[in-house]
């Protein structure tokens, strides 16, 4: 007689059930079955709040070493795959060769004329050509990516963070076409083999979804500063743009700042002070 | 009526078998993509849409082109088109099937496709594109089927098809307009950010669709006893002619604005497509051949003597069809992504596997087309004799 | 079509629809595994919902949690029994896996038995699996 588990029974049952359609989804009520006090969902009491989160990057304080530190801190702790990482062939046999044009990045350094292509100038002060400009998602107030997304997988949070629901993304990449800053990356393949060490504090992504900087929403929720701020040795400040007393508002009051492609009306929340 | 498709000549079955083989190859290639992700394509972080979306865009045009026979026949009672309206409608059906398949093969998470319906997003153009594409597909299936059935039974088509037919006209314009809006509403992409995009799409659609229809008429004449009518084909060729001229004209308007204003964000894309940019020029030969094909085709069709030539007409139509395909299928999408928003240049070429999947989708579309055309021509043969 | 053909077709259909039961009759069945409470869960003995509710509805609960965390930025769940939890599958002490220390014996045993393969784990990595 054939030895089998409930598993195989259900598999056959499943095959037989094809055509009957999916079972209706369970409707779960947030109260318990005894009808005592209802459950509530709340924010962490230590969470940092802002009316509209923003970032100021003090470009002069960043050199190549700090730039590297920033990218490294963000990417390793968000489990962003590094396609130059040598794959552990024991754990991931048959990993196919990499197309480096399909890379994934959240925050990285660019030369001035790439970060600000509309501000190209042949007589620009020489030193600008060598400064590393950190670029990332601008968490635009009028974000074209949010407008484009057909599933609201990309959306603007109340506090101005443009964030993604990786569970919902269908991978149509409309948002990538819509973003005027090249801030988004697509998981062309399973990222797992290219993550040197998975950080258990943050989920990885699956193949077929888009991803980008989330302004460390998971850290702000615990009352901590974003990874890049911690790694930047004072060169990156994150705070509330709507609060006149905040540090970033002070910086913006006292310095001349620029934003990327301001003329497009997307209202980026990332400011550069040069 | 469908039983007609189960009886055919040896050639018919050979052709069906051939299509099934191509579909099979495409399916195998697609399954690999399904399990391993879109890494198997030539797309990249910078060029995040490629061959699939390009062919989708082109085929939306072919589908919309079907309306060019519907309008004269139903709105202007142009009797000559009586025999070919059904061909236009069925061509639209087959094209839309391919369009929807192309969208599906392009998705990173196809199993979550229904999220578009579960979380409708009225601000997203893709939402409206889904509505009009499915709506137009539905309309054409119903109309085509009902009208053909009535013809077979030698009765008048039911009265309720009339409003549907009128409705299908704005839908045809709508599918290609909304498809253009997918692109031209994006602030950061200079090549697409132009109000002429939707008219240009429509013009090239009204050229490519009827051009293909003319070629199909030739094929039908050769393989069936049904004659779509030389005069209808002549009228169609005039439509193709003016549409392709409008398309070229719109393109020249675009070229003028871009080069005369000299705004770099807009100019670099066209520069890349037409002359190469910073030494990158993979698409230059394509673009030029596309426009030369369309221009020469237009000249052929403008001159009555050449247009009336039974041998030359399909050649001119093929030239226009392929020219439009290159313009939309190769240039339109990749051109919008090169250079990237940061002015980096990553070039794009589809991989072999991507091409096989694409061919599989085309084969599926042709299978639908073959079956529908088989029905249509057979019914017409039966009643018309 | 003859009456016989219709009846024959119906018979085949009924046989096919009941195939799981035929399959079950010719094979033996294993008893359902008991999920084991290990680690902190063993002492706590108080979960987000009561046992039976949890058994039946944990996926719906997780679905609700994920929307709360991702979309509303709410991360704390104060359950009806007064205890509060970190709405997370795998991160931190107060998450599902933080309390249920052994995923294999708690989650997987049932999942395998019921033949479900939730893809949650593809991204929400079990912290214990990372060396
Ligand atoms: S930078 Fe791009 S991805 Fe970020 S919010 Fe703006 S448009 Fe969206
Ligand atoms: S790829 Fe995902 S996030 Fe981007 S638009 Fe499509 S569904 Fe939305």
């Amino acid at each position: 007689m054939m030895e089998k588990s409930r598993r195989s029974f259900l598999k056959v049952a499943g095959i037989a059930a094809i055509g009957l359609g999916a079972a209706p989804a369970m409707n779960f009520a947030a109260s318990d079955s005894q009808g005592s006090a209802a459950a509530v969902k709340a924010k962490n009491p230590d969470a940092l709040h802002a009316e509209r989160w923003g970032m100021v990057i003090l470009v002069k304080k960043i050199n190549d070493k700090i730039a590297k530190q920033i990218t490294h801190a963000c990417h390793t702790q968000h489990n962003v795959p590094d396609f130059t990482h040598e794959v552990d062939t024991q754990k991931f046999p048959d990993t196919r060769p990499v197309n480096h044009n399909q890379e994934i990045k959240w925050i990285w350094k660019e030369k001035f004329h790439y970060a600000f292509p509309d501000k190209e100038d042949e007589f620009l002060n020489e030193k600008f050509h060598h400064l590393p400009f950190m670029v990332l998602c601008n968490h635009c107030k009028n974000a074209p990516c949010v407008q484009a997304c057909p599933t609201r997988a990309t959306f603007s949070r109340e506090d101005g963070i443009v964030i993604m629901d990786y569970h919902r993304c269908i991978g149509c990449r409309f948002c990538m076409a819509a973003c005027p800053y090249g801030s988004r990356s697509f998981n062309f393949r399973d990222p797992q083999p290219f993550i040197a060490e998975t950080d258990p504090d943050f989920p990885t992504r699956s193949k077929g979804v888009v991803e980008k900087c989330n302004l460390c929403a998971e850290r702000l929720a615990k009352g901590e500063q974003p990874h890049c701020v911690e790694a930047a040795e004072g060169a990156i400040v994150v705070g509330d743009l709507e609060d006149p007393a905040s540090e970033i508002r002070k910086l913006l009051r006292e310095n001349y700042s620029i934003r990327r492609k301001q003329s497009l009306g997307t209202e980026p929340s990332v400011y550069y002070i040069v | 009526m469908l039983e007609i498709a189960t009886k055919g000549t040896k050639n018919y079955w050979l052709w069906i078998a051939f299509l099934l083989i191509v579909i099979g190859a495409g399916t195998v290639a697609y399954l690999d993509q399904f399990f391993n992700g879109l890494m198997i394509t030539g797309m990249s972080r910078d060029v995040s849409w490629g061959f699939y979306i390009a062919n989708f865009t082109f085929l939306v045009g072919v589908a919309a082109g079907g309306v060019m026979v519907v309008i004269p026949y139903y709105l202007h009672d142009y009797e000559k088109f009586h025999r070919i309206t059904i061909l236009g409608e069925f061509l639209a059906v087959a094209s839309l099937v391919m369009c929807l398949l192309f969208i599906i093969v392009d998705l990173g998470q196809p199993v979550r496709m229904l999220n578009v319906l579960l979380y409708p997003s009225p601000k997203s153009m893709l939402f409206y594109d889904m509505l009009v594409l499915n709506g137009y597909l539905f309309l054409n299936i119903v109309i085509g089927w009902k009208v053909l059935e009535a013809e077979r039974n030698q009765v008048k088509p039911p009265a309720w098809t009339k409003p549907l037919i009128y409705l299908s006209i704005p839908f045809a314009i709508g599918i290609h307009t909304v498809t253009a809006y997918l692109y031209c509403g994006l602030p950061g992409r200079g090549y697409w950010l132009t109000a002429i995009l939707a008219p240009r799409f429509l013009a090239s659609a009204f050229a490519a669709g009827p051009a293909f229809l003319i070629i199909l008429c030739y094929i039908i004449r050769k393989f069936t006893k049904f004659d779509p009518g030389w005069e209808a084909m002549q009228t169609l060729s005039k439509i193709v002619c003016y549409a392709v001229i409008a398309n070229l004209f719109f393109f020249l308007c675009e070229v003028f604005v871009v080069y005369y204003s000299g705004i770099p964000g807009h100019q670099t894309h066209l520069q890349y497509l037409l002359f190469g940019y910073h030494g990158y020029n993979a698409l230059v030969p394509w673009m030029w051949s596309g426009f030369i094909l369309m221009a020469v085709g237009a000249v052929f069709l403008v001159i009555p003597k050449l247009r009336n030539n039974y041998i030359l007409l399909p050649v001119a139509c093929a030239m226009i069809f392929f020219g439009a395909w290159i313009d939309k299928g190769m240039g339109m999408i990749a051109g919008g992504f090169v250079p990237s928003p940061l002015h980096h240049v990553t070039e794009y070429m589809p991989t072999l596997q991507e091409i096989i999947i694409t061919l599989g989708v085309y084969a599926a579309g042709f299978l639908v087309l073959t079956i529908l055309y088989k029905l249509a021509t057979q019914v017409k043969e039966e009643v018309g004799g | 079509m003859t009456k016989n053909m219709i009846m024959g077709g119906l018979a085949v259909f009924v046989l096919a629809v009941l195939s799981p039961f035929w399959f079950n009759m010719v094979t033996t069945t294993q008893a359902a595994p008991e999920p084991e409470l290990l680690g902190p869960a063993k002492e706590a003995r108080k979960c987000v919902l009561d046992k039976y509710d949890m058994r039946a509805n944990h996926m719906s609960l997780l679905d609700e949690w994920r929307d709360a965390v991702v979309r509303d930025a709410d991360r704390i769940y104060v359950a009806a029994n007064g205890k509060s939890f970190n709405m997370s599958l795998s991160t931190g002490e107060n998450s599902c896996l933080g309390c249920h220390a052994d995923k294999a014996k708690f989650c997987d045993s049932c999942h395998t038995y019921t033949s479900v393969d939730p893809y949650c784990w593809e991204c929400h990595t079990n912290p214990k699996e990372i060396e």
Side-chain angles (χ1 to χ4, degrees), chain A residues 109-167:
Chain A
K109 76 168 189 205
E110 284 285 354
K111 293 213 170 100
F112 177 76
H113 60 279
Y114 290 127
F116 296 89
D118 48 350
K119 293 193 172 60
E120 224 178 325
D121 182 347
E122 61 180 302
F123 305 117
L124 190 76
N125 186 336
E126 184 61 23
K127 70 169 194 233
F128 281 103
H129 290 301
H130 304 297
L131 277 178
F133 281 77
M134 299 311 289
V135 295
L136 68 156
C137 168
N138 290 295
H139 298 279
C140 306
K141 194 172 166 192
N142 307 322
C145 57
V146 172
Q147 184 169 278
C149 180
T151 63
R152 286 178 277 147
T154 292
F155 60 100
S156 287
R157 255 172 35 166
E158 261 172 18
D159 57 6
I161 298 181
V162 174
I163 199 168
M164 285 199 60
D165 187 343
Y166 302 117
H167 310 97

Side-chain angles (χ1 to χ4, degrees), chain B residues 275-286:
Chain B
F275 307 105
Y277 178 72
H278 291 331
Y280 295 96
N281 50 17
L283 288 178
V284 174
W286 286 95

